[in-house]
Amino acid sequence: MLFLIRGLDMRKVASFFLFSLAILAPSGCGKAGFYPAKGQFVDASDAPVTVLEGFEVSFEGHGPDGKSYSSTGTIDAQGRFELFTDRPGDGAPMGEGKLLIQPKMKDSEREFPYPLNPKYRTFEKSGLTAKIEPKPNELKFTVELKAGKQSLKQ
């Protein structure tokens, strides 16, 4: 207990605490080298791809430390998502990477019909790339729907 130590100047303790808080506060909750990354999937007419609600987007890249990272996000009813790496809100690693769109699952073994061109299921074929910069990132991707699928719910 600090207050029991003889000769301790509480003003110095308080000053040290405030200084430490001022240094640590600007760093926020994210990890070093990770930045906010939000995005949206649209079709060729720039309409939100709403049929992707509940699907997952994955970003695979290398962080500034040279390690490989995978970030994910759930796609909402307007085709929007926010990437995270370890926990919601921590962002994605700075650098370039590839994306894929994972199917929505009905249960642990069955998936919902995939409404997009199947190329978006793999990093190698999707053609979706992003560069995460040291700032809040807003990403937008145009994707091809399978024939007969529509962007907007009827």
Side-chain angles (χ1 to χ4, degrees):
M1 308 242 182
L2 291 176
F3 60 87
L4 295 177
I5 299 174
R6 189 176 262 186
L8 185 64
D9 185 347
M10 291 307 288
R11 288 178 294 191
K12 288 182 180 177
V13 171
S15 294
F16 175 76
F17 175 76
L18 291 174
F19 174 76
S20 298
L21 186 60
I23 295 296
L24 296 174
S27 64
C29 297
K31 301 191 306 184
F34 288 69
Y35 297 92
K38 295 180 181 183
Q40 184 176 32
F41 292 104
V42 297
D43 65 15
S45 68
D46 207 37
V49 181
T50 59
V51 295
L52 291 177
E53 181 178 8
F55 283 66
E56 297 277 325
V57 59
S58 292
F59 172 80
E60 190 175 81
H62 296 281
D65 58 5
K67 293 181 183 176
S68 294
Y69 288 95
S70 182
S71 304
T72 62
T74 301
I75 303 168
D76 73 11
Q78 292 301 309
R80 297 186 203 307
F81 62 89
E82 182 173 355
L83 294 173
F84 69 92
T85 303
D86 292 324
R87 64 184 184 280
D90 69 355
M94 183 175 71
E96 295 184 34
K98 298 177 181 180
L99 291 96
L100 63 75
I101 301 171
Q102 300 175 18
K104 178 178 174 180
M105 301 301 290
K106 290 182 181 183
D107 55 41
S108 64
E109 297 178 9
R110 297 177 302 148
E111 59 186 52
F112 282 93
Y114 197 76
L116 301 174
N117 180 321
K119 71 180 184 179
Y120 299 114
R121 295 177 74 125
T122 68
F123 290 113
E124 296 76 27
K125 295 180 182 176
S126 76
L128 302 173
T129 61
K131 183 176 182 180
I132 306 301
E133 299 183 67
K135 64 177 186 174
N137 294 267
E138 290 291 332
L139 311 168
K140 190 173 188 179
F141 302 98
T142 302
V143 293
E144 301 168 39
L145 296 164
K146 279 186 180 173
K149 298 289 180 182
Q150 295 183 347
S151 295
L152 301 174
K153 293 180 181 177
Q154 300 294 315

